[in-house]
Amino acid sequence: MIELLDGFWLYLNNSRIEQAKNVYSLKASPYDVPTEAYSTNAAHYHSVCRFIEQLISNYISPHYITKAPDEVELCRRNILALLSQKKKQYSSYSSDKHKNDYKSLNENQFRDFVSVFPVPTNPTKDGLGKVSNSVYRQYRDHILLRFLSSYGLRIGEALLLRGSSFKPNFSETKFFMMVTNLEDNVDPRSKKPSIKTASSHRELEISQQDYMIVKGFMSQVKLISQHDFLFTSSSTNASPLSYQGARKIIIDASNRMKKLFPHHFDITKSDHLQTISPHMLRHTWAYFQLEHIFRRYTADFIKAGAVDPKGIMKSAIDHLRSLGGWSARSQMPAYYGKRFIAKRANELSMSKFKEDAFKHFNIELPIFLRNIDESSIDK
């Protein structure tokens, strides 16, 4: 199937017309096809690649192949490596390759996204104390959203969480979440999540409300599961949730939001969304978190009589690096710092129009420029 991907790419870029055997109508360069068409075809191509990747992860396993587990795992890795090469082969043709990489939600977008994860306040339970599968999924999905966007967890880190990952201090006045690899390495998933770097192992303080929500939900998990993982399927055996399953929860919610709040996806707006991915929630957390840390550090520096903007930002970035589990070499915390500074610079720049020197540009708009209809601009 992977060997047919090159032919599939040619098929897409030849207006989906099947050529005679051994005869291809090759395009000389990407400029021979409209940029928008190439971008669309690249999206179709990578969708097929993701589908093949899911088939590999699900079916290249000891459950379906009667060989030694080590041989099956080696075979799976080799096939995934080959597929990875094919995925990269045409990725440069996507015009949106980097457009959405580090995008985050603004406050209104985040508020509306949270609203598509409702949870019932008083769900009914059966004789054993279990809630229905739909209610179970609602709470699971809501908790996943909370931890991705409130604490900046990577999706793989969230999938490693167990009931035992959450602990109070002795006085039970503070509550902590341990983000680390499994101590016993017992994980039935074929594609096992793991911590990204040594710096990603961390102990994060969480709110009492989040701690209580997790403990309450884990009581439901224990009724249907033989393991201690926080995020599971809602099926009878409640297997640990896979990466694809967790990602689908966020992508499906993104599609629901697009129907309920289409204005957030309006391409005529500078801060429009294309889609919401799990990692975008981490970017959202990082940016909001940096703003919060910067304000707190600014107040502390002023109180101490040592106001140095560069020192404040450096301290805030180091704090963010620790919370987010980035290595000392990672440039991501500094990226959020630059973005925050750029936002403040724009705000300061716009404030100049309130000053006397720039008030000369404040004129009354002529009638033909008021409430202008964009569709009539050419006219």
Side-chain angles (χ1 to χ4, degrees):
M1 189 180 292
I2 295 176
E3 293 176 351
L4 298 176
L5 285 172
D6 288 332
F8 179 59
W9 176 254
L10 292 172
Y11 165 74
L12 290 172
N13 289 296
N14 282 279
S15 302
R16 303 188 182 187
I17 299 173
E18 189 175 356
Q19 304 296 321
K21 191 174 182 180
N22 299 326
V23 178
Y24 294 110
S25 175
L26 299 178
K27 300 290 187 282
S29 74
Y31 300 106
D32 295 331
V33 176
T35 302
E36 184 178 348
Y38 249 109
S39 177
T40 301
N41 291 342
H44 290 322
Y45 178 87
H46 286 102
S47 293
V48 172
C49 287
R50 287 194 296 272
F51 175 67
I52 295 174
E53 184 177 15
Q54 185 174 358
L55 292 177
I56 294 169
S57 299
N58 290 343
Y59 296 106
I60 306 298
S61 71
H63 183 75
Y64 293 98
I65 300 176
T66 55
K67 289 186 178 181
D70 290 345
E71 290 182 48
V72 175
E73 178 63 16
L74 179 61
C75 177
R76 187 182 69 84
R77 289 183 180 179
N78 289 338
I79 296 174
L80 286 174
L82 177 61
L83 179 62
S84 178
Q85 292 177 355
K86 292 292 185 182
K87 286 171 68 176
K88 293 176 182 177
Q89 195 169 352
Y90 303 110
S91 59
S92 60
Y93 294 137
S94 175
S95 62
D96 293 330
K97 183 179 177 184
H98 301 296
K99 190 174 181 180
N100 215 42
D101 281 357
Y102 302 119
K103 196 172 183 67
S104 61
L105 307 178
N106 62 36
E107 190 171 343
N108 290 333
Q109 291 166 344
F110 182 62
R111 176 202 62 209
D112 290 340
F113 188 61
V114 172
S115 73
V116 302
F117 287 85
V119 288
T121 54
N122 190 24
T124 57
K125 300 178 182 179
D126 64 14
L128 298 176
K130 292 191 297 183
V131 296
S132 65
N133 284 352
S134 61
V135 171
Y136 183 92
R137 288 192 298 271
Q138 282 181 292
Y139 275 97
R140 178 201 63 191
D141 298 354
H142 182 83
I143 294 170
L144 178 64
L145 172 67
R146 292 177 80 101
F147 284 106
L148 295 181
S149 55
S150 296
Y151 302 101
L153 295 189
R154 301 177 179 94
I155 198 163
E157 295 170 343
L159 295 178
L160 286 168
L161 294 175
R162 289 174 162 177
S164 56
S165 302
F166 301 88
K167 299 176 182 178
N169 62 1
F170 278 111
S171 59
E172 296 193 358
T173 56
K174 293 187 176 183
F175 307 88
F176 298 90
M177 172 172 60
M178 314 301 168
V179 182
T180 188
N181 283 322
L182 304 176
E183 293 181 0
D184 54 15
N185 292 320
V186 177
D187 189 342
R189 288 171 285 207
S190 57
K191 193 174 182 180
K192 298 174 175 55
S194 63
I195 295 299
K196 188 175 181 181
T197 66
S199 304
S200 300
H201 296 266
R202 56 202 189 278
E203 180 181 292
L204 297 176
E205 185 173 352
I206 64 174
S207 70
Q208 182 178 12
Q209 183 186 49
D210 285 340
Y211 178 79
M212 298 303 294
I213 289 173
V214 167
K215 287 302 178 183
F217 182 69
M218 283 306 301
S219 66
Q220 289 293 317
V221 174
K222 291 175 181 177
L223 290 174
I224 61 174
S225 173
Q226 299 298 317
H227 56 71
D228 193 35
F229 287 102
L230 175 61
F231 297 111
T232 77
S233 69
S234 58
S235 58
T236 304
N237 61 349
S239 56
L241 200 62
S242 66
Y243 177 87
Q244 290 87 353
R247 187 177 186 279
K248 186 176 185 298
I249 290 171
I250 304 301
I251 299 301
D252 287 350
S254 174
N255 293 332
R256 293 198 302 274
M257 181 179 174
K258 192 174 295 187
K259 293 179 180 178
L260 292 170
F261 307 99
H263 59 280
H264 290 314
F265 300 83
D266 181 357
I267 61 173
T268 64
K269 303 299 186 290
S270 63
D271 53 352
H272 77 278
L273 299 171
Q274 294 176 343
T275 188
I276 300 172
S277 67
H279 214 64
M280 188 186 291
L281 298 177
R282 178 170 164 86
H283 296 314
T284 301
W285 163 82
Y287 191 66
F288 287 162
Q289 186 73 36
L290 183 63
E291 280 192 301
H292 172 71
I293 295 170
F294 184 84
R295 287 196 300 268
R296 291 293 301 270
Y297 274 15
T298 299
D300 292 344
F301 272 58
I302 291 175
K303 189 176 181 180
V307 183
D308 177 5
K310 290 185 178 180
I312 296 173
M313 181 53 70
K314 184 179 184 305
S315 297
I317 288 174
D318 288 343
H319 191 151
L320 183 69
R321 184 185 302 277
S322 175
L323 291 175
W326 283 288
S327 68
R329 294 180 297 177
S330 175
Q331 296 299 310
M332 283 306 301
Y335 163 80
Y336 295 116
K338 290 179 181 177
R339 182 179 165 194
F340 179 65
I341 291 171
K343 178 186 176 185
R344 288 172 60 86
N346 277 324
E347 290 172 350
L348 287 172
S349 176
M350 294 308 297
S351 68
K352 71 177 180 283
F353 293 107
K354 298 178 181 180
E355 299 175 1
D356 291 339
F358 290 92
K359 285 183 178 179
H360 300 296
F361 290 107
N362 294 335
I363 63 171
E364 184 177 353
L365 290 178
I367 295 176
F368 78 94
L369 286 179
R370 299 177 192 174
N371 300 321
I372 190 166
D373 181 4
E374 293 181 1
S375 64
S376 65
I377 288 178
D378 292 339
K379 298 178 183 178

